[in-house]
Amino acid sequence: MGTARGAGRVRLRRWAAVGALVALTATTTAACSESTPDAGPAAEALAAALASGEFTDVPFTADAPPAAEVAAVRTAVVEGLGGSTATVEVGDVTLAEDEKTATAGLDVTWDLPGTDADWAYTATAKLVRDDEDDEQPWRARWEVRLLAPDLVAGERLTLTRTVAERGNVLGQGDAVLVEKRPVSRVGIDKTRVAEAELDGAARVLAAELGMDGDAYATRVLGAGPRAFVEAIVVRDGDAAYDVAALGALPGVAVVPDEVPLAPTRAFARPILGGVGAATAEIIEASEGAVAAGDQVGLSGLQRQYDAQLRGTPGTGVKAVAESGSERVLHTSEPVAGEPLRTTLDPTLQQRAEDVVGAVVPAAAVVALRPSTGEVLAAASGPGGEGLSTATVGQYAPGSTFKVVSALAYLRGGLTPDSTVTCPPTVDVDGRTFRNFPGYPSSAQGDVPLRTAFAHSCNTAFIGARDLADQGDLLAAARSLGLEPEAALGFPAFLGTVPDEASATAHAASVIGQGQVLASPLGMATVAASVAAGRTVVPRLVAAAADDVSEDSEATDLPDASPLTAEEAAALQGMMRAVVTEGGAKVLADVPGEPVLAKTGTAQFGGDDDLRNHAWMIAVQGDLAVAVFVGEGDYGSTTAGPLMRAFLAG
């Protein structure tokens, strides 16, 4: 409210006769005759005007300024309260003994922006009886002190704001993941360089930082004459920047500060997000809760849970005289933000970051605790260019999806010992499907389903496709946690499986290609469900746990059959065979409990530019992991060594 003319509510606690007479208490107590006109309407009109800023309908005494002048005074006095709005209620109206004057208590409440701590006080209005006016027998005296306690002419109200301490982001065991850490703000200080040299100074700094020189120079030239125009924020100890050398450049200033940061630049950054100065859009959408200059969440969980993390600012109201002297009329203390508790394990998250940190294509490592569904790590490599590849990436899962197909086939009547046929190729409606190059001849022909699974025989799985239609595949996927419409309390995609498909598309689906999509989080959930013996729902944010269970039921899909312990045991045995005799032998000697796994390779691109997604999922004890590389050779050769590095670490 630019002029603080918010519409006010007015409530009149009217006094009236009880029986024939009411005793009214004032400085002097007097009996009120039945012929005494009611002073309440005049007080009510004044209260409404003080709340709204419109004084046209107020019956003022003859010595009062014109209504427009009174309104202008109010506007000038309260303009510094910004978007605050007022509510004024009429309290007791007390008649003097001579019944010629009265006083009315006006209970004023200002709703200050961004806080629940209102500013409330009581003003006293003076009313004068006018026996010559039958329509308005009572008139109000105008006094500037009606606008604020003890206000005098020339004073103006100002609103002060104290930003609350931002809550930290926590991980397993309340380990601090994000907290205030020292940084250096580097930019051009326009007071340090002549105006004619500003453009050149801005371009030199931009060049040193690898920034767009034109864009930064434009920002510098467009800022105020004494502005500091920030170019970059560098965390202390970041070896990528020589802050001292940057500070020695013409016009450059280095301002020390503290901002909420994770332990390293890469640490879960796409998930946790960042904090920075509030944008105009955020300020407008906040409805007064955020002001210019506030630090707010700009992305990731910092943005999604910003209201919880940023807390409530403290406020103050001052009366400032023309001389500059101030009187404090109201204060409220800031309320610190609540910490955001996540399930991330700092050690595992950093290990996952180390595993994908040097991978050039988009890559991810996701680790879950099957017993609880807690997401312990979700790292996305630099090749994703800021995308949370781990949690929202959508890729064909390749043969890791055979865990789902195997479940559908178990429900269709097979067992791990059932015989299936694994020929070199299989044709479906004119399309030829084949196994990966170098597929072992010892695992071809009539083999147990366990063997076909261990060596990832495409043709065997496609040959058994009549045991499970697309709807059966979708049901099996959901039983293993690939819920297409899951709402988890954080940005996430688990997976999608079409419920209808052509013959060739269905054949592609059973080997995790075609229209089947999953994220690394989704495939880690599949592995976790196998390990837990039940359908696992991944959980990352502790505060969202209640919402997950409710929102996950909000789906148009039919209910999925829960994964049974017997089904899980069969899948566990087949996944163990992948390690002991199949494509994941690289994990056979990983220290600790026995490892279960499934490899996956999914082709994408045109016929003349076929490339491979490389996958591996694994289970070791109460840990389920998915590794994904956007472009690689095969799951066993590209994702396998990364999985080993993570588990062995």
Side-chain angles (χ1 to χ4, degrees), residues 216-242:
Y216 183 59
T218 299
R219 281 205 293 128
V220 170
L221 295 175
R226 303 184 61 81
F228 169 74
V229 185
E230 184 178 291
I232 192 171
V233 178
V234 181
R235 70 167 64 221
D236 277 15
D238 190 336
Y241 300 95
D242 187 339

Side-chain angles (χ1 to χ4, degrees), residues 470-482:
Q470 281 293 130
D472 296 329
L473 286 181
L474 172 59
R478 295 179 63 204
S479 296
L480 289 168
L482 282 185

Side-chain angles (χ1 to χ4, degrees), residues 476-532:
R478 295 179 63 204
S479 296
L480 289 168
L482 282 185
E483 185 61 58
E485 300 180 17
L488 304 178
F490 65 99
F493 168 83
L494 296 179
T496 58
V497 179
D499 58 359
E500 295 182 357
S502 66
T504 55
H506 180 50
S509 291
V510 299
I511 60 173
Q513 300 203 148
Q515 294 179 299
V516 176
L517 296 173
S519 68
L521 173 66
M523 294 315 299
T525 303
V526 168
S529 297
V530 172

Side-chain angles (χ1 to χ4, degrees), residues 603-618:
Q603 291 184 325
F604 69 100
D607 292 338
D608 57 348
D609 186 30
L610 280 177
R611 289 168 285 169
N612 293 335
H613 295 319
W615 291 84
M616 184 174 282
I617 59 175

